[in-house]
Amino acid sequence: MIIAFSVSPLGVGEEVGEYVADAVRVVRESGLPNRTDAMFTTIEGDWDEVMDVVKRAVAAVEARAPRVSLVLKADIRPGITDGLTAKVATIERHLASGPSGD
């Protein structure tokens, strides 16, 4: 399963990078495959381990903020591994072959 999530502190002002870094640190220390971009952190693993990491990432922000917002999107596809890399590789392969035409 692949989970893309965003955790944001509320009530702490506009500068939230330090809080978000606390959440990303939890993800990176989990040892699960992950990526972070400007909008989401994506993590791959089985249901229990991924949801545990998300819960701990939220808790890391919650420890310092009066309120926390969580946005979560899941791709649940049993038996697939390395989907985090494979999905991007498929798109890159299609881009390299040029326009598909109608």
Side-chain angles (χ1 to χ4, degrees), residues 7-69:
V7 58
S8 302
L10 302 174
V12 297
E14 290 187 34
E15 297 296 323
V16 298
E18 184 179 331
Y19 299 87
V20 173
D22 289 343
V24 172
R25 189 172 294 110
V26 169
V27 173
R28 292 185 177 174
E29 289 174 355
S30 75
L32 295 176
N34 67 84
R35 286 198 181 122
T36 298
D37 61 36
M39 297 290 294
F40 287 95
T41 294
T42 307
I43 187 168
E44 183 173 16
D46 73 29
W47 180 273
D48 290 335
E49 62 189 358
V50 169
M51 294 310 286
D52 176 63
V53 172
V54 171
K55 183 178 180 179
R56 290 187 290 118
V58 169
V61 175
E62 189 177 34
R64 299 179 52 210
R67 188 174 177 188
V68 178
S69 171

